[in-house]
Coordinates of all heavy atoms in Angstrom, one line a residue:
S1 N 0.8 -1.2 0.0 CA 0.0 -0.1 0.1 C 0.9 1.3 0.0 O 0.5 2.2 -0.6 CB -0.9 0.0 1.2 OG -1.7 -1.0 1.2
T2 N 2.0 1.2 0.7 CA 2.9 2.3 0.7 C 3.5 2.6 -0.5 O 3.5 3.8 -1.0 CB 4.0 2.0 1.8 OG1 3.4 1.8 3.1 CG2 5.0 3.2 1.9
M3 N 3.9 1.7 -1.3 CA 4.5 1.8 -2.6 C 3.4 2.4 -3.6 O 3.8 3.2 -4.5 CB 5.1 0.6 -3.1 CG 6.3 0.0 -2.4 SD 7.1 -1.2 -3.1 CE 5.9 -2.6 -3.0
D4 N 2.2 1.9 -3.4 CA 1.1 2.3 -4.3 C 0.8 3.8 -4.1 O 0.6 4.5 -5.1 CB -0.1 1.6 -3.9 CG -0.2 0.1 -4.5 OD1 0.7 -0.1 -5.4 OD2 -1.1 -0.7 -4.1
L5 N 0.8 4.3 -2.8 CA 0.6 5.6 -2.6 C 1.7 6.5 -2.9 O 1.5 7.7 -3.5 CB 0.3 5.9 -1.1 CG -1.3 5.6 -0.8 CD1 -1.5 5.7 0.7 CD2 -2.0 6.8 -1.5
I6 N 3.0 6.1 -2.9 CA 4.1 6.9 -3.4 C 3.9 7.1 -4.9 O 4.2 8.2 -5.3 CB 5.4 6.2 -3.1 CG1 5.6 6.2 -1.5 CG2 6.6 6.7 -3.9 CD1 6.9 5.5 -1.1
K7 N 3.6 6.0 -5.6 CA 3.4 6.1 -7.0 C 2.3 7.1 -7.4 O 2.2 7.9 -8.3 CB 3.0 4.7 -7.7 CG 4.1 3.7 -7.6 CD 5.1 3.8 -8.9 CE 4.4 3.4 -10.1 NZ 5.2 3.4 -11.3
H8 N 1.1 6.9 -6.6 CA 0.0 7.8 -6.8 C 0.3 9.3 -6.7 O -0.3 10.0 -7.4 CB -1.1 7.3 -5.8 CG -2.5 8.2 -5.9 ND1 -3.3 8.0 -7.0 CD2 -2.9 9.1 -5.2 CE1 -4.4 8.8 -6.9 NE2 -4.1 9.5 -5.8
H9 N 1.1 9.6 -5.8 CA 1.5 11.0 -5.6 C 2.7 11.5 -6.4 O 3.3 12.4 -6.1 CB 1.6 11.2 -4.1 CG 0.3 11.2 -3.4 ND1 -0.6 12.1 -3.4 CD2 -0.1 10.3 -2.6 CE1 -1.7 11.8 -2.6 NE2 -1.4 10.6 -2.1
G10 N 3.1 10.7 -7.4 CA 4.1 11.0 -8.3 C 5.6 10.6 -8.0 O 6.4 11.0 -8.7
G11 N 5.8 9.8 -7.0 CA 7.0 9.3 -6.7 C 7.3 7.9 -7.2 O 6.4 7.2 -7.9
E12 N 8.5 7.4 -7.0 CA 8.9 6.1 -7.4 C 9.6 5.2 -6.3 O 10.6 5.7 -5.9 CB 9.7 6.1 -8.7 CG 9.2 6.6 -10.0 CD 8.1 5.5 -10.5 OE1 8.2 4.4 -10.2 OE2 7.2 6.0 -11.3
P13 N 9.0 4.2 -5.8 CA 9.5 3.4 -4.7 C 10.8 2.8 -5.2 O 11.1 2.3 -6.3 CB 8.5 2.4 -4.4 CG 7.7 2.4 -5.5 CD 7.7 3.6 -6.2
A14 N 11.8 2.8 -4.3 CA 13.2 2.2 -4.6 C 13.2 0.7 -4.2 O 14.2 0.1 -4.6 CB 14.3 2.9 -4.0
N15 N 12.3 0.4 -3.3 CA 12.4 -0.9 -2.8 C 11.0 -1.4 -2.2 O 10.2 -0.5 -1.8 CB 13.5 -1.1 -1.7 CG 13.2 -0.3 -0.6 OD1 13.7 1.0 -0.5 ND2 12.6 -0.8 0.4
F16 N 10.9 -2.7 -2.0 CA 10.0 -3.3 -1.0 C 10.7 -3.7 0.1 O 11.7 -4.5 0.0 CB 9.2 -4.4 -1.7 CG 8.5 -5.3 -0.8 CD1 7.1 -5.1 -0.6 CD2 9.0 -6.3 0.0 CE1 6.4 -5.9 0.3 CE2 8.3 -7.2 0.9 CZ 7.0 -7.0 1.0
L17 N 10.4 -3.3 1.5 CA 11.1 -3.7 2.5 C 10.2 -3.9 3.7 O 9.5 -3.0 4.2 CB 12.3 -2.9 2.9 CG 13.4 -3.5 3.9 CD1 14.7 -2.8 3.8 CD2 12.9 -3.5 5.3
D18 N 10.0 -5.2 4.1 CA 9.1 -5.5 5.2 C 10.0 -5.9 6.5 O 10.7 -7.1 6.4 CB 8.1 -6.6 4.8 CG 7.3 -7.1 6.0 OD1 7.3 -6.5 7.1 OD2 6.8 -8.3 5.9
V19 N 10.0 -5.1 7.5 CA 10.8 -5.5 8.7 C 10.1 -6.5 9.6 O 10.6 -6.9 10.6 CB 11.2 -4.3 9.5 CG1 12.3 -3.4 8.7 CG2 10.1 -3.4 10.0
G20 N 8.9 -6.8 9.3 CA 8.1 -7.7 10.2 C 7.5 -7.0 11.5 O 7.7 -6.0 11.7
G21 N 6.7 -7.9 12.1 CA 6.0 -7.2 13.3 C 6.8 -7.3 14.4 O 6.5 -6.6 15.5
G22 N 8.1 -7.9 14.5 CA 9.0 -7.8 15.8 C 10.3 -7.1 15.6 O 11.2 -7.7 16.1
A23 N 10.3 -6.0 14.7 CA 11.5 -5.4 14.6 C 12.3 -4.9 15.7 O 11.6 -4.4 16.7 CB 11.2 -4.2 13.5
N24 N 13.5 -5.2 15.7 CA 14.4 -4.7 16.8 C 15.4 -3.7 16.2 O 15.5 -3.5 15.0 CB 15.1 -5.9 17.6 CG 15.9 -6.7 16.5 OD1 16.5 -6.3 15.6 ND2 15.8 -8.0 16.8
V25 N 16.3 -3.2 17.1 CA 17.3 -2.2 16.8 C 18.2 -2.7 15.6 O 18.4 -2.0 14.6 CB 18.2 -1.7 18.0 CG1 19.3 -0.8 17.5 CG2 17.3 -1.0 19.0
D26 N 18.7 -3.9 15.8 CA 19.5 -4.4 14.8 C 18.9 -4.5 13.5 O 19.5 -4.3 12.3 CB 20.1 -5.8 15.2 CG 21.0 -5.7 16.5 OD1 21.6 -4.6 16.6 OD2 21.2 -6.7 17.1
Q27 N 17.7 -5.0 13.4 CA 17.0 -5.2 12.1 C 16.7 -3.8 11.4 O 16.9 -3.8 10.3 CB 15.6 -6.0 12.3 CG 15.8 -7.5 12.6 CD 14.5 -8.1 12.7 OE1 13.7 -7.8 13.6 NE2 14.2 -9.2 12.0
V28 N 16.2 -2.9 12.3 CA 16.0 -1.5 11.7 C 17.2 -1.0 11.3 O 17.3 -0.2 10.1 CB 15.3 -0.7 12.9 CG1 15.1 0.8 12.1 CG2 14.0 -1.3 13.1
S29 N 18.4 -1.1 12.0 CA 19.6 -0.6 11.6 C 20.1 -1.2 10.1 O 20.5 -0.5 9.2 CB 20.7 -0.8 12.6 OG 20.4 -0.1 13.7
E30 N 20.0 -2.5 10.1 CA 20.3 -3.3 8.8 C 19.4 -2.8 7.8 O 19.8 -2.6 6.6 CB 20.2 -4.7 9.0 CG 20.6 -5.6 7.9 CD 22.0 -5.4 7.6 OE1 22.8 -4.8 8.3 OE2 22.5 -6.0 6.4
A31 N 18.1 -2.6 8.0 CA 17.2 -2.1 7.0 C 17.6 -0.9 6.5 O 17.6 -0.6 5.2 CB 15.7 -2.1 7.5
F32 N 17.9 0.2 7.3 CA 18.4 1.4 6.9 C 19.7 1.4 6.0 O 19.9 2.1 5.1 CB 18.6 2.5 8.1 CG 17.4 3.0 8.7 CD1 17.2 3.2 10.0 CD2 16.3 3.4 7.9 CE1 16.2 3.9 10.5 CE2 15.2 4.0 8.3 CZ 15.1 4.2 9.6
R33 N 20.5 0.5 6.6 CA 21.9 0.4 5.9 C 21.6 -0.2 4.5 O 22.3 0.4 3.5 CB 22.8 -0.6 6.6 CG 24.2 -0.7 6.1 CD 25.0 -1.9 6.6 NE 24.4 -3.1 6.1 CZ 24.6 -3.6 5.0 NH1 25.3 -3.0 4.0 NH2 24.1 -4.8 4.6
I34 N 20.7 -1.2 4.3 CA 20.6 -1.7 3.0 C 19.8 -0.6 2.1 O 20.3 -0.4 0.9 CB 19.6 -2.9 3.1 CG1 20.4 -4.1 3.8 CG2 19.0 -3.3 1.8 CD1 19.5 -5.3 4.2
I35 N 18.9 0.1 2.7 CA 18.2 1.0 1.8 C 19.1 2.1 1.5 O 19.2 2.6 0.2 CB 17.0 1.7 2.6 CG1 15.9 0.6 2.8 CG2 16.4 3.0 1.9 CD1 14.9 1.2 3.8
L36 N 20.1 2.7 2.3 CA 20.9 3.8 2.0 C 22.1 3.4 1.2 O 22.8 4.2 0.6 CB 21.4 4.5 3.3 CG 20.3 5.1 4.1 CD1 20.8 5.6 5.5 CD2 19.6 6.3 3.4
A37 N 22.3 2.2 1.1 CA 23.5 1.6 0.2 C 23.1 1.7 -1.2 O 24.0 1.7 -2.2 CB 23.9 0.2 0.6
D38 N 21.8 1.9 -1.6 CA 21.5 2.1 -2.9 C 21.6 3.7 -3.3 O 20.8 4.5 -2.7 CB 20.0 1.8 -3.0 CG 19.3 1.9 -4.4 OD1 20.1 2.4 -5.3 OD2 18.2 1.4 -4.6
D39 N 22.4 3.9 -4.1 CA 22.7 5.3 -4.6 C 21.5 6.0 -5.2 O 21.5 7.2 -5.2 CB 23.9 5.3 -5.6 CG 25.2 4.9 -5.0 OD1 25.4 5.0 -3.7 OD2 26.2 4.3 -5.7
N40 N 20.6 5.3 -5.6 CA 19.4 5.8 -6.3 C 18.5 6.5 -5.2 O 17.6 7.3 -5.6 CB 18.5 4.8 -7.1 CG 19.3 4.5 -8.3 OD1 20.2 5.1 -8.8 ND2 19.0 3.1 -8.7
V41 N 18.6 6.1 -4.0 CA 17.7 6.5 -2.9 C 18.0 8.0 -2.5 O 19.1 8.3 -2.1 CB 17.8 5.7 -1.7 CG1 17.1 6.3 -0.5 CG2 17.2 4.2 -2.0

């Protein structure tokens, strides 16, 4: 749904990323690291 709304408002999603229902600090940190490693973001 998040990606759909980004597209609807004129943006382009760079990824699909689901951290799940029990996200902890390490998982969120790794998620950010993976997202920011993409130069297109």
Side-chain angles (χ1 to χ4, degrees):
S1 300
T2 302
M3 292 191 296
D4 284 344
L5 272 174
I6 288 174
K7 290 275 290 185
H8 180 70
H9 290 288
E12 290 291 337
N15 63 271
F16 166 98
L17 197 155
D18 172 19
V19 295
N24 55 39
V25 174
D26 290 338
Q27 284 182 307
V28 175
S29 296
E30 182 65 11
F32 278 146
R33 188 193 66 77
I34 291 169
I35 291 172
L36 295 174
D38 183 353
D39 292 335
N40 292 330
V41 171

